[in-house]
Amino acid sequence: MAGKVTFCAFVLVLLSTLAAAIRPSARSSTVARRAALENGLGRTPQMGWNSWNHFHRNINEEIIRQIADAMVDTGLAKLGYEYINIDDYWAAYDRDSQGNLAGNASTFPSGVTALADYVHGKGLKLGIYSDAGTRTCGKLMPGSLGYEDQDAKTFASWGIDYLKYDNCNNQGISPQPRYDAMSKALLNSGRNIFFSLCEWGVDDPATWAGGVGNSWRTTGDIKDTWASMTAIADKNDKWASYAGPGGWNDPDMLEVGNGGMTTEEYRSHFSLWALMKAPLLIGCDIRSMSNETKEILSNQNVIAVNQDGLGVQGHKVQQDGDQEVWAGPLTGGRFAVVLWNRGSAQASITASWWSIGLNASTVVDAHVLWTDEITSAVQGELEETVDSHACKMYVLTPK
Ligand code: GAL
């Protein structure tokens, strides 16, 4: 019986490794995209904060200013979190008499330019949200369909640095021309604006969005639950080979600190997002985050994996039931590895060199990222006991 189980696990591992090997190479897709996208942004995945996951429609300029303050005061800004992104519900219901978007007069009375000045004064960048349809998803503000040039110029004139572009009320027009129109409008706007596509992965954007935007959502909205986060990680994994400097798969924003998962589950969430080269967009209220939340979001070892210059998305390389190994190469011949226990009981997980992409004879130093310890001279495989829903994350440096 035990022999049979081991054999099945071996076959599973072999299949997943073969599947990984026949994916189109990251290099060829990256080269194709680079030729098209010319804004020079997103050389590493974007880092920052977005209002949606915590505040939903309840936003105003005071909150945004205080979040910018907190970003600096908590030390997060120094770690690379730079974008302060306002999501849906920031604008007035109607365009003004010249057809321009305008901030909601009761919640953003000082206007977006004043807010951009404030955020820039803190050394940060301001992001905003619109929709490739007639109205945004919340329906309380206009969308940019048919107004792409005008709105891109408005955003540029306000000092906006980042646009998240949603997909509601799209009149049944396919995503590519709608997102392409805004991409071109932003390139012509006179300001370098990061372009984040949010068409929820409906039209496989990884296959075409590299020339259009700096990141593209690969899934529907994340929820603050273990089930949602894990399902989204799997969906995003499928597109790993399409990510690279200048354009990233986006499995949606972080829920770390919003209260729906345990600390270990949030640590897994952050580790996986970092390894997958996902945007690290904080989604909690950083003005009042707990020490545990801050400790997760501030781990420089894990952030360094996400921001590694090689820009190759790590992916699932081994699966044996609920025990998984995710890995990917880093600069300098190093590898990032996550042992992830998705099961409900503590389990032992073994990552073998051949599934990570190392020669069996290679000897490495293993940096254990969350405890910041080094295990020297490891060869052939890495075996660890991992708690339920927890992970262990490493950087392996060949000697
Ligand atoms: C969704 C989008 C969310 C959020 C929301 C705002 O379509 O995926 O991230 O932006 O709209 O209404």
Side-chain angles (χ1 to χ4, degrees):
M1 179 64 187
K4 244 188 204 165
V5 172
T6 312
F7 179 72
C8 288
F10 176 74
V11 170
L12 266 179
V13 165
L14 197 65
L15 285 178
S16 67
T17 305
L18 282 175
I22 57 176
R23 285 175 182 143
S25 88
R27 206 164 168 273
S28 57
S29 58
T30 305
V31 169
R33 281 189 298 99
R34 272 188 198 149
L37 192 71
E38 284 168 4
N39 68 3
L41 299 173
R43 306 309 298 166
T44 59
Q46 67 269 40
M47 293 176 66
W49 175 92
N50 174 291
S51 56
W52 184 253
N53 282 358
H54 185 84
F55 291 96
H56 297 102
R57 66 165 63 188
N58 304 311
I59 49 166
N60 58 55
E61 62 180 39
E62 191 53 22
I63 292 176
I64 303 299
R65 276 199 296 264
Q66 289 175 359
I67 291 287
D69 294 347
M71 199 62 117
V72 174
D73 297 344
T74 57
L76 288 169
K78 266 203 233 113
L79 300 175
Y81 295 97
E82 60 175 344
Y83 289 105
I84 304 291
N85 294 344
I86 315 171
D87 210 281
D88 203 353
Y89 296 100
W90 61 268
Y93 188 88
D94 288 318
R95 290 173 180 273
D96 69 14
S97 53
Q98 276 89 51
N100 292 318
L101 291 170
N104 182 305
S106 57
T107 49
F108 290 82
S110 315
V112 182
T113 306
L115 199 50
D117 288 347
Y118 186 84
V119 168
H120 291 155
K122 303 236 117 195
L124 299 167
K125 295 179 171 161
L126 186 67
I128 214 159
Y129 163 100
S130 187
D131 185 285
T134 50
R135 295 199 79 73
T136 65
C137 295
K139 296 208 174 85
L140 293 184
M141 53 172 278
S144 295
L145 185 65
Y147 290 85
E148 291 86 356
D149 288 326
Q150 185 169 358
D151 290 353
K153 290 216 165 70
T154 300
F155 297 146
S157 75
W158 288 344
I160 292 294
D161 304 295
Y162 184 117
L163 176 66
K164 171 177 172 180
Y165 204 42
D166 216 336
N167 193 29
C168 284
N169 307 303
N170 57 44
Q171 310 301 299
I173 306 168
S174 79
Q176 286 194 46
R178 288 181 291 112
Y179 283 85
D180 204 43
M182 182 52 91
S183 175
K184 293 204 166 71
L186 291 174
L187 286 174
N188 291 330
S189 70
R191 190 173 171 88
N192 250 7
I193 298 180
F194 189 107
F195 190 30
S196 151
L197 280 68
C198 178
E199 62 82 273
W200 320 307
V202 290
D203 207 21
D204 297 348
T207 63
W208 54 267
V212 180
N214 300 108
S215 66
W216 45 87
R217 282 272 297 275
T218 53
T219 73
D221 288 11
I222 193 169
K223 292 196 195 74
D224 187 15
T225 65
W226 168 257
S228 167
M229 183 273 285
T230 52
I232 280 185
D234 286 339
K235 282 190 191 140
N236 189 63
D237 190 35
K238 178 174 174 195
W239 305 107
S241 65
Y242 293 91
W248 308 101
N249 290 311
D250 175 3
D252 208 358
M253 302 168 294
L254 297 167
E255 290 284 9
V256 178
N258 278 332
M261 290 183 243
T262 66
T263 300
E264 282 316 309
E265 289 171 346
Y266 279 142
R267 204 188 302 282
S268 293
H269 178 20
F270 193 70
S271 302
L272 263 290
W273 262 235
L275 183 91
M276 293 195 295
K277 302 290 188 283
L280 295 183
L281 294 174
I282 298 170
C284 71
D285 187 351
I286 57 172
R287 298 171 306 174
S288 56
M289 67 185 157
S290 67
N291 287 339
E292 287 81 20
T293 297
K294 187 175 165 196
E295 181 244 333
I296 291 173
L297 297 172
S298 304
N299 189 297
Q300 297 191 55
N301 296 331
V302 177
I303 292 172
V305 168
N306 180 258
Q307 297 292 302
D308 182 73
L310 192 63
V312 173
Q313 179 173 330
H315 62 99
K316 196 184 299 195
V317 298
Q318 273 182 230
Q319 179 174 11
D320 180 5
D322 289 330
Q323 282 71 53
E324 301 182 349
V325 179
W326 294 58
L330 301 172
T331 47
R334 298 168 307 138
F335 287 84
V337 180
V338 175
L339 310 184
W340 194 16
N341 181 6
R342 292 167 67 159
S344 52
Q346 195 182 62
S348 165
I349 305 182
T350 304
S352 57
W353 270 203
W354 57 268
S355 65
I356 294 169
L358 284 164
N359 288 328
S361 58
T362 305
V363 177
V364 305
D365 282 343
H367 185 189
V368 194
L369 301 190
W370 286 104
T371 55
D372 209 13
E373 292 159 333
I374 307 268
T375 311
S376 304
V378 187
Q379 187 182 1
E381 62 180 31
L382 197 61
E383 188 188 351
E384 270 297 339
T385 302
V386 185
D387 286 340
S388 163
H389 291 192
C391 76
K392 298 221 162 136
M393 186 168 189
Y394 306 83
V395 167
L396 308 183
T397 306
K399 307 259 260 184

